[in-house]
Amino acid sequence: VGITHDITELKRVQEALAHERDLLRALMDNLPDAIYFKDADSRFTRINKAQAERFGLSDPAQAVGKTDFDFFTVEHAQPAYADEQAVIRTGQPLVGKEEKETWPDGRETWVSTTKVPLRDRDGQIIGTFGVSRDITAVKQAGEALVQERNLLRTLIDNLPDYIYAKDAASRFVLNNAAHMHLLGAATPGEIVGKTDFDFFLEELAAQYYADEQEVIQSGQPLIDREERVVDPTTHREMWNLTTTVPLRDSAGLVVGLVGISRDITERRRMEARLE
C-alpha cells in the first residue's frame, strides 16, 4: 500500500527561497559597500565581506554578537549606537548621514551611512539594517581643497598689491582686501557683479575694459601695463603696474581674467623729477 503526496508547490517555494538566498548572498559578498544587520541591542547578526575586511576579520561570522564598541573607539561607537536606537524607537530611517569612524589604532575614516529598521514577518522592529559607503578619499580631497583655498585667501589678502578676478563680461567675481580698500568697499558684496564703470571715471574704465577684453578674446596675458588710476575715494591720481592673465575653466576655455596691480605712483613721481 503506498500513499503519494503532490509536493510540487512546496518544491517551487523551496526553489524560490533558495534563489532569493543565493541572490542575497551574491549581493552581500560582491558589493564594495559595508552591509550589516543588527539586533535590537545593536549587536551584529550578520555582515558582508566588505565589512569584515574593514574590521580586519577573516570570516564575517566572527562579528556576530559583537557591537561597534568592539571595533571602534567610543567617539564613533556611541553616536552610532544612539542613531540605531533612534531608528528602532521611531521606525524612521537614517539616510545618507556622513559619519567619522575613529579606530583604536588612531585612524580616521569617513562613510556615508543609511540605516533602516529591520522588521519581522509581523512588522515588528527587531533591529536595524545598514549600508555604509567609504567616502574617506572624497572627504580628504574636500579638506585639501578647503586648506588650499584658505591658504590662497590668506596670501592674496595680505599682499599689498591689488588682486582681483573678473568674468568674461569684466564683472568682478573676487577681490582681495587691498583692492576692496581702493574701491572704498567694506565687504565683497559691494563689488561682486559690478564693473570698473561703477568705480572709476568712464574714460579710464573704458580703457581697462578694452584691455581686459583683448586678454579674454586672445587668451594672451597683458604683462606690466602702466595704467593711470584716479582713486575712487580720494580722487587722487595714481599709477598702477598691472598684469592681467586669462582665467580658464577645466576644459581650457577662457571664462574671465585675473589681474594684479602694484601702486607705482611714487616711482612715477621720482622719474618725473629726474626728467
Side-chain angles (χ1 to χ4, degrees):
V1 177
I3 300 176
T4 302
H5 294 284
D6 186 346
I7 59 171
T8 305
E9 187 59 29
L10 175 63
K11 292 293 290 182
R12 287 175 180 169
V13 171
Q14 290 175 338
E15 289 173 358
L17 289 173
H19 180 63
E20 289 187 7
R21 184 183 64 238
D22 292 341
L23 285 177
L24 177 61
R25 183 179 293 115
L27 178 69
M28 292 278 288
D29 289 345
N30 292 285
L31 273 180
D33 296 337
I35 301 175
Y36 43 91
F37 297 85
K38 296 183 178 182
D39 63 19
D41 295 318
S42 290
R43 294 174 298 206
F44 290 106
T45 58
R46 185 173 182 178
I47 65 173
N48 70 339
K49 287 183 178 180
Q51 182 69 300
E53 290 174 358
R54 299 189 81 239
F55 285 159
L57 304 176
S58 58
D59 184 351
Q62 294 172 326
V64 174
K66 296 183 178 180
T67 72
D68 283 333
F69 290 92
D70 294 297
F71 300 103
F72 301 104
T73 69
V74 176
E75 182 182 352
H76 170 68
Q78 189 61 54
Y81 174 82
D83 286 342
E84 290 159 3
Q85 292 303 304
V87 170
I88 293 172
R89 185 175 62 256
T90 66
Q92 298 300 311
L94 182 70
V95 180
K97 180 179 179 180
E98 290 190 0
E99 296 180 329
K100 182 174 75 170
E101 299 174 321
T102 53
W103 303 81
D105 61 4
R107 287 182 299 127
E108 291 183 353
T109 53
W110 287 85
V111 291
S112 175
T113 296
T114 292
K115 298 178 180 180
V116 299
L118 181 64
R119 301 177 185 272
D120 63 16
R121 64 180 61 188
D122 296 321
Q124 299 298 312
I125 297 175
I126 57 173
T128 55
F129 162 64
V131 180
S132 295
R133 173 164 295 181
D134 192 327
I135 59 170
T136 306
V138 175
K139 290 290 288 187
Q140 289 174 342
E143 290 171 358
L145 285 174
V146 170
Q147 290 177 354
E148 287 186 10
R149 185 180 62 212
N150 291 340
L151 178 62
L152 177 61
R153 189 76 245 185
T154 301
L155 176 65
I156 68 172
D157 276 345
N158 287 279
L159 283 174
D161 296 337
Y162 310 124
I163 302 175
Y164 52 90
K166 296 183 178 182
D167 63 17
S170 287
R171 294 174 298 211
F172 289 108
V173 296
L174 178 146
N175 297 267
N176 74 336
H179 197 245
M180 286 172 54
H181 180 72
L182 173 66
L183 299 183
T187 65
E190 298 175 42
I191 304 175
V192 172
K194 296 182 179 180
T195 71
D196 286 328
F197 289 94
D198 295 298
F199 300 100
F200 298 105
L201 296 175
E202 185 173 355
E203 61 175 302
L204 295 177
Q207 183 60 57
Y208 304 155
Y209 178 80
D211 289 343
E212 291 166 358
Q213 289 304 304
E214 180 182 344
V215 170
I216 292 171
Q217 297 301 323
S218 68
Q220 298 300 314
L222 191 63
I223 308 296
D224 289 345
R225 169 67 65 87
E226 292 192 5
E227 295 179 333
R228 176 174 168 263
V229 180
V230 176
D231 190 309
T233 303
T234 66
H235 305 294
R236 179 175 62 95
E237 185 178 69
M238 303 166 51
W239 286 89
N240 285 342
L241 187 67
T242 297
T243 292
T244 309
V245 298
L247 177 63
R248 301 178 184 274
D249 63 12
S250 58
L253 299 176
V254 178
V255 294
L257 59 92
V258 176
I260 179 168
S261 298
R262 175 166 295 177
D263 187 342
I264 59 169
T265 307
E266 190 58 35
R267 192 190 82 182
R268 291 276 299 194
R269 287 174 180 168
M270 291 179 64
E271 290 174 349
R273 292 192 193 104
L274 294 174
E275 290 178 354

